[in-house]
Structures are given as C-alpha cells and as structure tokens.
Amino acid sequence: MGVVVGIDVAKEIHWAEIKIAEDGKVVSSHRVDTTPQDLSALISEIKDVEVEHGPTLVGIDILGGIASLLQTMMLEAGLVVVHVPGPAVNRARRGTRGGEHKSDPKDAKVIADQVRMRDDLRQVTATREEDVKLRLLTARRAELVEDASRRANRLRALLNAIHPGLERHVEVTGKTWLHLLTRYVTPAEIRAAGRTRVLAHLRKLRWVKDTVLIKATETAVGSAQRQRVSMPGEKVTAELVKETAAEALAARDRLAALDKRIQETLDRHPDAALVASLPGMGPIMTAEFLAVTGGISRFATGDQLAAAAGLAPVLKQSGKSRHLQRARSGDRALKRVFYQSAFCAIGHDPASTDYTPAAA
C-alpha cells in the first residue's frame, strides 16, 4: 500500500485527502463536487500519485445513497475501496487534538489515517443488480406497511366517532370490511340500503365466501338498527372514512404487486434459495436479509454474522476481570430479521422449540 485516500462523503460536496501511506505526508486535501466530471478528475489525480508511490487504498464513510456514484466510479476505475464506518470516524476524531470540532477536511484526514493504520476494514465490492432491487423494494414495502398501520388507526378513530357499534366489529385490514366502508358507513346509510343492497355491494368482491359476506352484512345492519342517533359532523366524517377505505384497498393491491416483484427478484438471486431454507425465513424475511447483507459471502463465518447483528456475546476483559455480556449494538435491521424469523419458526417449525441441555 503506497497511497491512502480518505473521502468524507456528503450530499453535494465530498472532501478528499490524499496522503503517502509510509510517512503520512499529505499530497492534497480539497473539496470535490459530486459531479461525474469532478469525480473523474479526482480519480485521475489519484492515478497520477499512484504511479510514483504505489497502489492506492480509498476509504469512504458511507455506502450507497449519496455515495453511490462515487463508489461506482472508484470501483470501475480499478481502485480498492474500503468502508470506514461513521462511528469509527467519530471516535477516532474525538481522540485527536480539538476532537470536538467537526469539519469535512478533518473527517477526511481521520478516514485516511484509519485506512493507514487498520487492516480489518471491510472491502467494498460492486453491488449486484438483484441486491439493489431487493434493497429498494424492501424499503418501499416497509413504507407501505407503515402507511397501512397509520391509515388503519385513523380509520378506526373516524369510524368510532360516528358509528362505534360497527367499529367494534370492523377489521380495518380486511378486504371485506374495507369494501363495505367505501360505500356504507353511517347507521342511516346502512338502514336505508337494507340487507339486500348491502349484501349485493359486498358480493362484488370475488373469491370471498358467501357465508363471510352474509355475516358481515348482518353485523353491519344489526349495528345500524341499534344506533338511531345522528352524530355531529357525521356526513364529512363518513366521506373521510370512505376515502380512507378506498385508499386502503388500493394500498393492498400495491403491496401484493410489490410482493410479487420481490419474489421474482428472489427467484433470480443466487443466495435466496439457501437463505429461504432456514426456519422462519419466508420470502419477505429472505428479501430483507439479502437487502441488508448483500449476500451470504459478506460474512466468512456464522460468528461474524451473529456479531454484525448484535446477537453474539461480547467479551469484556480488564486485568483479572473477564466476562461475557449481551451486545448493545449491531445492525438493527439485521437483528430484526433474525428475531422476526425466530418468532415465525417457533409457531411453524417444531424443531425450533426443541431444547437440548448442555453437556455437564
């Protein structure tokens, strides 16, 4: 290693520091606009220094997102890139003179020094198309699920304000009830329509058992018969309920289409079949796992994977004291995948509940 480069990544301007690895002499330190032209100029500058001083190792503190263009161009130019995590940069900076002062040039200097001193930094590799798709699709799915939860709570609050008897029985995530609420909400509307018209409206749903539709109709009509009081703002509230219910139905269709795209992407991913074979790892958990890790080749052993997720015990040793304790860090998204898959496995995989006492 002859040259090290530390790049502090930002949205509009990166800051790069190029220095000689052997003695730490700074060759240049300057801002770089996040344009292809300026990034190409930086790569050319690095190549020129590389000719005289040897191979280059580039350190960046952010992966993907605002660093995607920089990361792609560096790898296409044949440069070796490593990831210096933000927490490592912050702690290393605080150990320097005036460590509380933060600036882009200082962070770039710290990143370059970390690259010089450490040999355990993760090397950045080119991202596969399937991994990028899974990352984007799972992020979008999380947004839709979060919106659905917020919409369901809002729907319950609106319905409870004008028709509490019906709200007790409505499943705001069920297609049958949402379809009902797109047209009939208030007790007066349901009484005026009667059982026949309410049931006819529900029967527009396909692939729903008639017994389910009849039961929902009887529940709605019975609740409307018991409430004869009109509530203030009932008309406007009912309009909002109908609008929200229609949005919820459309969101269900979008979520189903998104799940189909995720499954199609998994079918083409080389690691998906192996990950999906684990207990509790359905298509969504598999997609989220691969979106976070980028593939099973990132971790050489299961211990490294457990440590990255914050599931492996942490050794604490000082003097004669030596003990293990629960990890308090780790990738939260990865940890969630493991916990969620474990809960699913408990309910569906009998082998997951087996317990074998440790040997004496």
Side-chain angles (χ1 to χ4, degrees), residues 109-128:
K109 175 182 176 60
V110 171
I111 294 170
D113 288 336
Q114 289 290 298
V115 174
R116 284 184 64 210
M117 295 183 294
R118 298 179 58 173
D119 60 359
D120 59 346
L121 297 173
R122 171 192 168 194
Q123 183 173 343
V124 180
T125 58
T127 307
R128 290 177 295 195

Side-chain angles (χ1 to χ4, degrees), residues 7-8 44 52 57 65 92-93 95 106 111 119 121 151 168 170 181 185 204 208 270 272 310 319 324 327 339 343:
I7 302 178
D8 180 63
S44 298
E52 182 177 355
L57 189 59
R93 185 185 65 247
K106 189 167 188 176
I111 294 170
D119 60 359
L121 297 173
R151 190 183 297 110
R168 295 190 189 98
V170 164
L181 294 177
V185 178
K204 294 178 182 178
V208 180
L324 296 175
Y339 273 110
F343 293 146

Side-chain angles (χ1 to χ4, degrees), residues 312-328:
V314 177
L315 173 64
K316 294 293 182 179
Q317 180 178 0
S318 178
K320 296 182 179 181
S321 175
R322 177 187 174 92
H323 63 280
L324 296 175
Q325 69 178 33
R326 181 174 64 86
R328 298 180 181 177

Side-chain angles (χ1 to χ4, degrees), residues 4-48:
V4 294
V5 181
I7 302 178
D8 180 63
V9 179
K11 183 178 180 180
E12 297 180 356
I13 300 171
H14 305 322
W15 196 280
E17 177 161 307
I18 305 174
K19 59 173 55 179
I20 309 303
E22 184 177 357
D23 55 9
K25 178 183 177 182
V26 177
V27 177
S28 66
S29 179
H30 57 84
R31 56 178 282 172
V32 181
D33 291 340
T34 57
T35 62
Q37 294 76 16
D38 282 23
L39 293 177
S40 295
L42 173 63
I43 292 173
S44 298
E45 181 182 3
I46 294 173
K47 290 288 187 178
D48 292 340

Side-chain angles (χ1 to χ4, degrees), residues 52-128:
E52 182 177 355
H53 297 283
T56 301
L57 189 59
V58 181
I60 57 177
D61 60 340
I62 295 177
L63 295 179
I66 59 177
S68 295
L69 180 61
L70 169 67
Q71 180 179 325
T72 301
M73 293 183 65
M74 289 283 178
L75 293 176
E76 288 183 351
L79 296 173
V80 180
V81 182
V82 294
H83 178 219
V84 185
V89 178
N90 293 336
R91 292 191 177 186
R93 185 185 65 247
R94 287 182 175 275
T96 63
R97 183 174 57 187
E100 294 186 6
H101 297 288
K102 183 187 184 308
S103 65
D104 292 346
K106 189 167 188 176
D107 281 350
K109 175 182 176 60
V110 171
I111 294 170
D113 288 336
Q114 289 290 298
V115 174
R116 284 184 64 210
M117 295 183 294
R118 298 179 58 173
D119 60 359
D120 59 346
L121 297 173
R122 171 192 168 194
Q123 183 173 343
V124 180
T125 58
T127 307
R128 290 177 295 195

Side-chain angles (χ1 to χ4, degrees), residues 171 174-181 202 205 208 212-213 216 249:
E171 296 179 8
K175 192 172 184 179
T176 300
W177 286 106
L178 289 174
H179 184 66
L180 172 70
L181 294 177
L202 289 179
L205 289 173
V208 180
V212 175
L213 302 180
L249 284 174

